[in-house]
Amino acid sequence: MISRWTLYVPLLAFVALIATFGRDLPPYVVIVVSLLLAGAVLAAVHHAEVVAHRVGEPYGSLILAVAVTVIEVALIVTLMVSGGEKAQSLARDTVFAAVMITCNGILGISLLVGALRRKYAVFNPEGTGAAFATVTAIATLSLVLPTFTKSSPGPQFTPAQLAFAAVVSLGLYLLFVAVQTKRHRDYFMPITTAGEVIDAEEHLEPPSSKTALQSLGLLLVALVAVVGLAKGVSPTIESAVAGAGLPQAVVGVVIALLVLLPETIAAVRAAARDRMQTSLNLALGSAMASIGLTIPAIAVAMIWLEGPLTLGLGGTEMVLLVLTVAVGTLTVVPGRANILQGGLHLSLMAVFLFLAASP
């Protein structure tokens, strides 16, 4: 059975989205919308965990990662259509923020929670290493190479280069999903501290197919409400950011934090249950899906969108990406991590947020 609040809150949030869509919101409405947004986030986490328990890992974490990313892509394209010239770098800023949040924020806090629960956070280095390598390859191809190509001025791809990058990114993502769910599924299953694979939850009865389908539908409703309401409160956030004298890029970071909040909570709860591999699947899978699905979608959207598309990172962002890759590689190779690794990734996340506010 689905508890009442997890049934009603997504529906109320969706109704609020319809009622407030495209309108200027007074302060008291912004407060109500923010409360519904928070409730929709918590409901999304609940329904994602119900679905994950029914289908098992790694499918459960994959469902949440793809669902969030598909809606995130729709939000990016929508904002690019209406954003004008200032939206030229929106896809780059959003994708880079998602990579930093997932690979440092979600991964770091999950490792910290897992290491505090036990002496070490234990995970499968084969699966985690493969996921991190794929994220690194796609991120470099999509966000670093445009800065160094010579066929077009500025940090941009030519149409042919963008199409090639989109095909390669999508191909790598689909190949990884095939490896994760079929050929080497055991690499992405939770393991005990002794290294034994946990193939199912031993102490809980899986929900029925009917309950899982209901939760899947409510998960999608909640995620649509989260993204839509986040967009609705974004003008208020923009005004606050401008009033504080912060760069416009901070708005994208705030929206990315809101959109990725369901995955963050789900990953932390999995780490608290000693399911560290599930947490890492969520973190790295979200980063991979964010790039592997966003870039192809933007490439298709550029057929009718006007103006150049800025994808290449600047020097500061590239340094942060390289540092994240170096630290992340040293984290995943041993197959276990302590509080130091969690602290390192959270420190990189703090650096990213600080430099976004003070570049």
Side-chain angles (χ1 to χ4, degrees), residues 15 82 89 93 95 140 142 184 203 208 270 284 304 338 350:
V15 170
S82 58
S89 62
D93 295 340
V95 169
T140 303
S142 303
H184 295 289
H203 57 287
S208 65
L284 298 178
W304 69 84
N338 55 35

Side-chain angles (χ1 to χ4, degrees), residues 10-11 47 51 211-224:
L11 298 178
H47 291 301
V51 175
T211 300
L213 287 175
Q214 289 174 341
S215 286
L216 179 60
L218 289 169
L219 169 63
L220 296 177
V221 171
L223 291 175
V224 170

Side-chain angles (χ1 to χ4, degrees), residues 187-200:
Y187 287 176
F188 302 91
M189 299 292 294
I191 60 175
T192 65
T193 52
E196 298 176 356
V197 173
I198 304 172
D199 196 25

Side-chain angles (χ1 to χ4, degrees), residues 30-353:
V30 171
I31 295 174
V32 174
V33 167
S34 299
L35 292 175
L36 289 173
L37 174 61
V41 167
L42 296 176
V45 174
H46 170 79
H47 291 301
E49 291 182 339
V50 171
V51 175
H53 191 193
R54 176 62 187 178
V55 302
E57 284 297 322
Y59 299 100
S61 56
L62 182 64
I63 288 172
L64 180 58
V66 172
V68 170
T69 305
V70 168
I71 298 172
E72 179 186 345
V73 168
L75 177 60
I76 292 174
V77 173
T78 301
L79 292 176
M80 288 185 68
V81 170
S82 58
E85 185 176 337
K86 66 179 182 180
Q88 293 177 2
S89 62
L90 177 64
R92 177 199 65 188
D93 295 340
T94 304
V95 169
F96 180 66
V99 171
M100 291 292 105
I101 292 168
T102 53
C103 291
N104 287 318
I106 300 179
L107 188 145
I109 193 171
S110 297
L111 291 176
L112 191 62
V113 170
L116 288 174
R117 189 179 188 275
R118 298 181 180 272
K119 189 175 182 180
Y120 292 99
V122 180
F123 49 89
N124 195 318
E126 286 89 352
T128 308
F132 195 74
T134 308
V135 171
T136 301
I138 299 179
T140 303
L141 171 65
S142 303
L143 301 178
V144 176
L145 275 184
T147 303
F148 299 99
T149 53
K150 300 179 180 179
S151 299
S152 61
Q156 302 163 5
F157 275 146
T158 64
Q161 290 171 339
L162 179 60
F164 179 78
V167 170
V168 172
S169 297
L170 182 60
L172 285 175
Y173 178 71
L174 294 177
L175 178 61
F176 174 81
V177 169
V179 170
Q180 183 187 33
T181 58
K182 298 293 183 183
R183 193 172 185 86
H184 295 289
R185 180 172 175 266
D186 55 312
Y187 287 176
F188 302 91
M189 299 292 294
I191 60 175
T192 65
T193 52
E196 298 176 356
V197 173
I198 304 172
D199 196 25
E201 299 284 351
E202 300 88 352
H203 57 287
L204 292 176
E205 186 70 22
S208 65
S209 298
K210 179 181 178 180
T211 300
L213 287 175
Q214 289 174 341
S215 286
L216 179 60
L218 289 169
L219 169 63
L220 296 177
V221 171
L223 291 175
V224 170
V226 168
V227 176
L229 293 179
K231 180 184 177 182
V233 300
S234 63
T236 302
I237 298 174
E238 289 176 352
S239 300
V241 168
L246 297 173
Q248 187 68 20
V250 173
V251 177
V253 174
V254 172
I255 299 300
L257 287 170
L258 289 174
V259 171
L260 289 170
L261 189 55
E263 292 169 298
T264 304
I265 297 175
V268 171
R269 292 178 66 172
R273 298 197 313 269
D274 202 23
R275 299 296 186 263
M276 183 53 56
Q277 189 62 51
T278 301
S279 297
L280 300 188
N281 289 347
L282 280 166
L284 298 178
S286 299
M288 194 185 312
S290 181
I291 311 173
L293 297 179
T294 300
I295 299 303
I298 296 302
V300 173
M302 289 307 295
I303 295 175
W304 69 84
L305 291 178
E306 297 181 358
L309 174 65
T310 301
L311 282 179
L313 295 174
T316 302
E317 291 78 13
M318 277 192 278
V319 170
L320 284 175
L321 182 61
V322 169
L323 191 55
T324 297
V325 170
V327 173
T329 301
L330 296 175
T331 296
V332 303
V333 166
R336 63 178 188 172
N338 55 35
I339 59 174
L340 176 59
Q341 280 87 0
L344 283 172
H345 284 281
L346 289 176
S347 296
L348 292 178
M349 177 66 181
V351 171
F352 163 70
L353 294 176

